[in-house]
Amino acid sequence: MPLVTVSEKLIRVLEAFAPGEDLETKLENVTRERLELQLRECNTALSGFETRYGMPFAEFAVAWQADNIPQRRSHEVERDFMEWEARQMERSDLLAAVQELDRPESES
């Protein structure tokens, strides 16, 4: 495991506010909380697209390829498609990071 230098100021704040019994656990918990916050924000954005278009992304992508999306070539719809796809990838990356934290050290 790599060694990391942490400032005294950061240690004081972590000790005061981060949950956990030791510094490593505190850092892991803060990281997990941040990942979960990002995941909630990402899911909210994804839900907005699903509501707007009335379908999940996988279905939208198939309809897109089949040219079955109204105003497919409009700037707004193309932008939505790109952002929606990026959010799907972000969600996948965030879930993988949370799973990595959940994996026992011996399996990493």
Side-chain angles (χ1 to χ4, degrees):
M1 178 188 320
L3 295 177
V4 176
T5 303
V6 179
S7 71
E8 290 297 321
K9 174 177 66 174
L10 181 55
I11 290 172
R12 283 192 305 273
V13 171
L14 287 169
E15 286 177 346
F17 296 103
E21 295 145 15
D22 57 41
L23 186 57
E24 183 174 354
T25 303
K26 289 175 180 293
L27 287 169
E28 184 175 318
N29 288 338
V30 168
T31 302
R32 180 182 309 281
E33 288 173 4
R34 179 60 186 164
L35 289 169
E36 289 171 354
L37 173 64
Q38 286 178 262
L39 192 54
R40 282 192 302 274
E41 291 171 352
C42 189
N43 284 335
T44 297
L46 289 170
S47 179
F49 287 120
E50 290 172 1
T51 299
R52 183 176 310 139
Y53 291 98
M55 63 187 86
F57 179 74
E59 193 177 314
F60 182 85
V62 169
W64 176 275
Q65 292 300 325
D67 204 16
N68 291 333
I69 300 296
Q71 299 176 328
R72 175 181 181 235
R73 303 215 186 280
S74 73
H75 175 73
E76 180 182 3
V77 175
E78 285 185 350
R79 184 191 64 227
D80 283 353
F81 178 82
M82 289 185 290
E83 186 177 337
W84 198 354
E85 184 176 42
R87 288 293 191 151
Q88 286 290 126
M89 290 185 292
E90 178 185 13
R91 182 178 186 275
S92 178
D93 291 344
L94 289 165
L95 287 171
V98 169
Q99 289 173 349
E100 175 69 20
L101 283 177
D102 289 342
R103 190 174 302 123
E105 190 67 35
S106 59
E107 294 180 23
S108 297

